[in-house]
Amino acid sequence: MPPDGALHSTLRTLIDFAQPRGDGASRLRLSFGAPSRVLVARTVAEVLPVLEAVEALAREGHWCVGYLRYEAAAAFDPAFAVHAADGPLAWFGVHDEALPWPEVQNNASPVPTVDWQDSLSRADFDQRMQAIHRAIANGELYQLNYTAPSHAGFHGDAQDWFLALRQAQPDGYTAFIDTGEEQVLSVSPELFFDWHDDRILTRPMKGTAPRGATPAEDEALAQRLRTVPKERAENVMIVDLIRNDLSRVARPFSVRVPRLFHTEALPTVWQMTSDVEALVREGTTLADVFGALFPCGSITGAPKVSAMRMIRELEPEARGVYCGAVGVVQPGGHATFNVPIRTVTLRGSEARCGIGSGITADAQADAEWEEWRHKRAFLSHAKRPVNPPFELLETLALAAGELRDAPAHLARMANAARHFGYAWNEALAAACLHRLQAQHTAGMWRVRLLLDAQGTPRAEAFAMEAPPARVQLQLADRAFDEAHSDFTRFKTTRRAHYEAFAPTAAGVFDTLLWNRDGEVTECTRGNIALLLDGRWVTPPLRCGLLNGIGRANRVRSGQLAEAVVRVDDLPRVQALAFVNSLRGWLDADLNVPQK
């Protein structure tokens, strides 16, 4: 039996895993206090005994939560080439009971700024790409998953940071594990395997595309991901590898692929997954399952032995928990593990996070480098450890019993619900609006339609005065850092980033915002129109702004054209207007500081 590690009364483990066989709504969301015992493998010879102990204790009624490092692969096949491990090859906390998810603390302070430093230059990346392409051309392998770490200093609360990362990268298979020696903050979207009774499911994730700025662009990018030959080939190669791996523990003829090329929407990227499942042979153990599947082929490449050999040659340091496995074995033996991508490992004040992609014969360096940038974006989105639950929001004008632009507002809320994974029933939302409409048949009203995560709509109305003919705007005194946030692209009740720019001077109606690149974006409560060089323009969505209904109507009609307007261009602007669906078109004045 491997030695028990030292216990610590403050250790806490959090598990928030999707139920991969369910409807997506139910989750395994639990916390655990200090473990009653700890199972640790620091040598290759100790890995299998740890897994055997984990399975035995789970079948006795305990919860076992932990991880395997990528370098634990050598325990299952000596042909798997890996670096020397930088920590325990396997670590599992054993718990006698599961506890409720911790209460949300709404007064938590922002996560400290984390300045990530890449370990790989673009020139070195291009050289590695050329080496991989040579190996593919020489027939040494078909695909290689190449990765590199970023490093940062972190001075804050590790659990708070995990909760912020989980908020930026919701759903999936997220876990926080504090071993005392290190903290693992995994917000991985990828399932490694789910094994329950005699059924085992794997869901490799290969294929990535960025999210779009508009619903149409977003869907076009997802459709392209599903159909581009390079992405499909990358996915199929790994599916075939995992089918072969799974056959080592499967009953004859039971391995099948019920779903292929499925696109999943994450906040910053689209990912493509496929399902491979089987019925396991009688007598199969947890160690057998890991022996057949670990490491997951999606983070090695194919063939696995050749790919891992080249990974060790190209990557100068151990991957660690990244690309290993993080998971939970429930009482009775139900085991669910993720592939820990989108995962931060923290030791003291030193943080590490790996990013990578699958390289095939037709992979282009520019495209892969850009893909890495999109995958890394979840790190910069983690701003606060815990925020209050938010609702989706639409604000409509109700004048003389008529709702303005109601179909467009409902369509935009439906798109936001899809993005954030909120339940959506358009008939319920429309009925909610119509009930409020029937109660306010005269006068001018500001209507707020809200939707919670469970899909329950509610509407409220507030008396509204006629809008002024002309308004005064002030220019933001600093860049709007949240220009590309999900909570800017979509309208929700989470508006602290806007409220920080609320006007402070008397008589000022709103603040005109601009992004880090010096591009004008929008106001805090509406869009902006500018008369520049003889034509009315509005900033394009890629600058970072909400696609307002009033703005969209005027772009569609041709009244406004999209064009980038920089802060430096403002002295040349001949006229301005504040635009939204609630108030319409309001002529505006802006005091531009003179240079």
Side-chain angles (χ1 to χ4, degrees):
M1 178 69 64
D4 286 1
L7 304 185
H8 194 288
S9 61
T10 61
L11 301 189
R12 166 171 269 180
T13 295
L14 303 175
I15 287 287
D16 183 10
F17 272 25
Q19 302 282 28
R21 302 176 193 274
D23 58 7
S26 58
R27 302 185 64 81
L28 183 68
R29 183 176 291 145
L30 300 167
S31 72
F32 301 88
S36 59
R37 65 188 300 185
V38 172
L39 306 173
V40 183
R42 296 191 180 276
T43 68
V44 168
E46 292 174 334
V47 172
L48 293 181
V50 161
L51 292 176
E52 291 166 357
V54 164
E55 184 170 22
L57 288 165
R59 295 198 183 281
E60 291 175 6
H62 300 278
W63 293 83
C64 299
V65 187
Y67 57 81
L68 273 71
R69 269 176 161 72
Y70 172 82
E71 291 71 32
F76 306 109
D77 189 336
F80 289 158
V82 293
H83 288 290
D86 58 354
L89 291 172
W91 188 100
F92 282 86
V94 181
H95 304 271
D96 299 330
E97 63 175 348
L99 304 173
W101 188 261
E103 292 293 325
V104 172
Q105 301 295 320
N106 293 341
N107 60 348
S109 59
V111 169
T113 300
V114 182
D115 184 16
W116 289 98
Q117 301 296 321
D118 296 336
S119 63
L120 185 71
S121 70
R122 177 58 197 270
D124 287 341
F125 177 82
D126 289 350
Q127 290 180 358
R128 305 294 196 281
M129 284 282 293
Q130 293 170 8
I132 296 168
H133 280 146
R134 284 195 299 270
I136 294 173
N138 293 336
E140 299 172 29
L141 43 83
Y142 306 112
Q143 177 185 159
L144 185 127
N145 195 81
Y146 178 55
T147 78
S150 294
H151 299 272
F154 178 76
H155 301 277
D157 186 277
Q159 183 175 297
D160 282 351
W161 194 15
F162 162 72
L163 294 172
L165 290 166
R166 171 179 165 271
Q167 183 173 279
Q169 181 86 18
D171 303 326
Y173 305 88
T174 71
F176 173 79
I177 300 174
D178 185 352
T179 72
E181 179 180 345
E182 64 186 348
Q183 294 80 43
V184 175
L185 296 65
S186 181
V187 292
S188 174
E190 182 172 3
L191 174 69
F192 180 22
F193 69 82
D194 181 78
W195 177 31
H196 190 205
D197 296 331
D198 63 346
R199 298 179 61 199
I200 188 165
L201 167 69
T202 68
R203 186 168 289 159
M205 180 174 285
K206 295 308 292 181
T208 306
R211 297 300 303 271
T214 67
E217 181 186 0
D218 202 36
E219 180 54 37
L221 288 167
Q223 178 63 21
R224 183 179 184 277
L225 176 61
R226 289 189 290 267
T227 56
V228 167
K230 182 263 182 187
E231 303 290 356
R232 292 169 69 93
E234 182 180 341
N235 192 284
V236 166
M237 288 179 193
I238 300 308
V239 167
D240 285 345
L241 186 156
I242 289 178
R243 287 175 60 193
N244 291 333
D245 285 352
L246 202 52
S247 67
R248 297 167 61 187
V249 292
R251 297 179 194 172
F253 311 110
S254 70
V255 179
R256 65 190 194 97
V257 182
R259 186 170 69 169
L260 195 63
F261 306 141
H262 173 69
T263 49
E264 296 183 5
L266 305 179
T268 59
V269 293
W270 284 100
Q271 298 272 194
M272 187 158 63
T273 65
S274 294
D275 286 6
V276 187
E277 63 182 21
L279 300 175
V280 299
R281 292 196 298 266
E282 187 175 351
T284 299
T285 67
L286 182 64
D288 292 334
V289 171
F290 271 95
L293 298 176
F294 190 85
C296 183
S298 64
I299 50 78
T300 62
K304 188 179 285 188
V305 170
S306 299
M308 292 182 67
R309 186 182 303 118
M310 190 165 195
I311 286 170
R312 188 177 66 175
E313 294 172 359
L314 295 181
E315 299 181 14
E317 59 185 84
R319 287 182 171 183
V321 178
Y322 171 64
C323 292
V326 172
V328 56
V329 185
Q330 301 179 41
H334 183 177
T336 309
F337 284 80
N338 76 15
V339 179
I341 56 176
R342 317 294 194 276
T343 296
V344 174
T345 305
L346 185 62
R347 287 188 171 191
S349 61
E350 297 182 1
R352 183 183 188 277
C353 181
I355 297 292
S357 63
I359 310 300
T360 56
D362 54 355
Q364 301 296 317
D366 286 345
E368 297 299 323
W369 188 258
E370 185 70 5
E371 180 178 317
W372 285 28
R373 185 180 70 83
H374 291 304
K375 288 179 175 178
R376 195 182 291 113
F378 84 99
L379 292 169
S380 61
H381 285 199
K383 299 297 183 184
R384 289 185 175 273
V386 185
N387 277 318
F390 64 90
E391 295 175 289
L392 306 185
L393 170 65
E394 291 294 325
T395 306
L396 302 80
L398 174 58
E402 295 295 326
L403 282 166
R404 185 183 302 160
D405 297 318
H409 282 282
L410 287 171
R412 189 171 69 174
M413 180 171 274
N415 184 54
R418 184 181 71 163
H419 178 84
F420 288 110
Y422 280 31
W424 172 250
N425 184 315
E426 184 165 336
L428 284 179
C432 186
L433 278 178
H434 291 152
R435 285 194 297 271
L436 191 72
Q437 183 179 12
Q439 299 166 4
H440 300 80
T441 57
M444 186 76 177
W445 302 87
R446 176 171 61 91
V447 172
R448 284 163 48 95
L449 175 66
L450 300 112
L451 186 84
D452 66 19
Q454 289 70 46
T456 304
R458 62 186 177 92
E460 50 195 24
F462 304 88
M464 180 175 141
E465 297 180 357
R470 196 171 196 89
V471 296
Q472 182 75 28
L473 303 178
Q474 69 178 29
L475 183 65
D477 60 358
R478 62 193 184 279
F480 183 52
D481 289 338
E482 302 295 321
H484 298 286
S485 163
D486 291 345
F487 297 100
T488 296
R489 291 173 51 209
F490 298 94
K491 191 166 184 177
T492 76
T493 56
R494 188 168 294 167
R495 293 185 53 82
H497 52 304
Y498 283 125
E499 291 165 1
F501 286 84
T504 54
V508 176
F509 182 75
D510 207 342
T511 302
L512 181 60
L513 307 173
W514 45 278
N515 63 27
R516 291 179 180 178
D517 295 323
E519 299 165 337
V520 172
T521 60
E522 60 181 342
C523 297
T524 73
R525 293 179 292 159
N527 295 114
I528 191 71
L530 309 98
L531 182 60
L532 184 63
D533 298 330
R535 63 172 185 153
W536 280 101
V537 299
T538 191
L541 298 179
R542 66 176 177 79
C543 291
L545 54 132
L546 178 72
N547 189 17
I549 302 300
R551 171 195 180 280
N553 289 341
R554 287 169 172 81
V555 170
R556 191 179 307 111
S557 70
Q559 183 181 358
L560 288 174
E562 291 186 331
V564 174
V565 179
R566 303 185 62 79
V567 172
D568 292 345
D569 297 325
L570 290 175
R572 298 191 295 111
V573 170
Q574 299 157 282
L576 299 97
F578 172 97
V579 180
N580 70 9
S581 175
L582 179 67
R583 294 178 174 84
W585 179 287
L586 304 181
D587 291 330
D589 295 309
L590 176 71
N591 291 327
V592 179
Q594 299 297 313
K595 293 186 177 181

